[in-house]
Amino acid sequence: MNELLKKLKNGLIVSCQAFEGEPLYGSDNMAKMAKAAKIGGAVGLRGCWPDDIKAMKKTTNLPIVGIYKVMDEKTDVFRDIIITPTFETAKEIYEAGADIIALDCTKRRSSLETEKLIYRIKTELNVTVMADISTLEEGVNAAEFGADIISTTLSGYTNYSTQSIEPDYKLIQELVEKIDNPINAEGRYWEPEQMVKAFESGAWTVTIGTAITRPQLITKRFVDRLNQYNKYEAEHE
């Protein structure tokens, strides 16, 4: 067990990301978000794109899970490989300072392509690999291909995986039963108790993004609930 993985055990990773057009878009903002996450007690960060990762690296000494999202107006999140699709994108975020490279290891890419990509990243860059998967089969395969950490990130983001508003605790439990790799629980975590349940299900670490670092969506969540309340009150006057 390497020291990096030990640092993440039983801890919270905070995902600091903002897309173009969002209020917090920009490397300076992500660096500040990373600093805030560290002050709050995070044990690691997840960052997207080289410039953001470089800025985050200058601000904190926390381990960074790096990703490189490739998207345009035609991208279908259920169909397309978005997260670190190529060795070249992996190399860019590694050179920017990522301590862990996360990549899409779903069956939207052939098993052979996934195996070759993991092998090349680990041998040429000598860096820890996190496999973002959506099903038990994908997680088992990624572990066999050499991924160090298996992450539930893409559960619900493939047409064939579990679709739910709740985190996929069952997938965590299934992975723990089948493989020895550390499991990163990620996806749809909104409440502290959901995080605790993930650890109770066997997670090694938990990654949370939107619920912490996207204030426009946090605000919308409260406003949506308020609108439900106001509608109910109006109907029962």
Side-chain angles (χ1 to χ4, degrees):
M1 182 65 63
N2 67 46
E3 291 302 314
L4 177 57
L5 295 181
K6 289 179 181 178
K7 289 179 181 179
L8 301 179
K9 186 171 176 57
N10 296 329
L12 172 65
I13 297 173
V14 173
S15 181
C16 303
Q17 298 179 52
F19 292 93
E20 189 171 358
E22 293 184 344
L24 294 183
Y25 179 72
S27 300
D28 288 347
N29 289 329
M30 290 304 98
K32 292 174 183 176
M33 192 70 76
K35 185 175 182 179
K38 180 181 179 179
I39 292 171
V43 300
L45 305 165
R46 183 168 167 120
C48 187
W49 303 300
D51 288 346
D52 285 5
I53 292 169
K54 288 177 184 176
M56 292 162 66
K57 198 75 174 179
K58 290 179 181 178
T59 306
T60 82
N61 59 358
L62 293 180
I64 297 178
V65 179
I67 63 174
Y68 196 129
K69 288 184 177 178
V70 178
M71 303 175 68
D72 59 32
E73 64 278 0
K74 297 179 181 179
T75 298
D76 183 332
V77 296
F78 287 96
R79 179 197 65 211
D80 300 324
I81 299 285
I82 296 169
I83 299 174
T84 322
T86 64
F87 176 78
E88 288 69 30
T89 53
K91 186 177 181 181
E92 282 193 56
I93 52 177
Y94 168 74
E95 291 176 345
D99 302 280
I100 299 170
I101 303 296
L103 60 149
D104 186 320
C105 291
T106 65
K107 64 182 183 182
R108 293 178 292 195
R109 191 197 325 255
S110 75
S111 294
L112 182 59
E113 289 176 323
T114 298
E115 184 175 10
K116 286 182 176 179
L117 181 55
I118 292 174
Y119 177 80
R120 190 175 180 192
I121 291 171
K122 288 184 67 65
T123 55
E124 295 188 28
L125 304 180
N126 190 29
V127 65
T128 300
V129 171
M130 177 183 286
D132 289 350
I133 55 90
S134 68
T135 66
L136 174 61
E137 178 187 6
E138 292 169 350
V140 171
N141 287 342
E144 290 179 353
F145 297 156
D148 302 283
I149 307 168
I150 308 301
S151 178
T152 63
T153 310
L154 294 174
S155 173
Y157 289 93
T158 57
N159 290 321
Y160 51 82
S161 60
T162 299
Q163 309 293 314
S164 174
I165 61 172
E166 286 289 309
D168 197 343
Y169 306 114
K170 182 181 178 183
L171 180 55
I172 300 169
Q173 295 164 351
E174 292 174 338
L175 288 166
V176 169
E177 290 176 2
K178 291 291 185 179
I179 61 176
D180 294 327
N181 302 57
I183 308 302
N184 174 53
E186 183 173 5
R188 302 184 296 280
Y189 286 89
W190 277 102
E191 307 291 346
E193 287 308 310
Q194 292 176 321
M195 175 187 63
V196 170
K197 187 172 180 178
F199 282 116
E200 291 175 342
S201 299
W204 183 274
T205 187
V206 175
T207 297
I208 299 177
T210 296
I212 297 174
T213 57
R214 300 183 78 186
Q216 73 274 19
L217 296 182
I218 299 169
T219 303
K220 184 178 184 301
R221 181 167 174 257
F222 280 91
V223 171
D224 286 348
R225 182 64 186 91
L226 179 59
N227 289 339
Q228 290 176 359
Y229 169 77
N230 288 336
K231 181 179 179 181
Y232 177 86
E233 288 296 303
E235 289 174 349
H236 292 81
E237 284 183 348

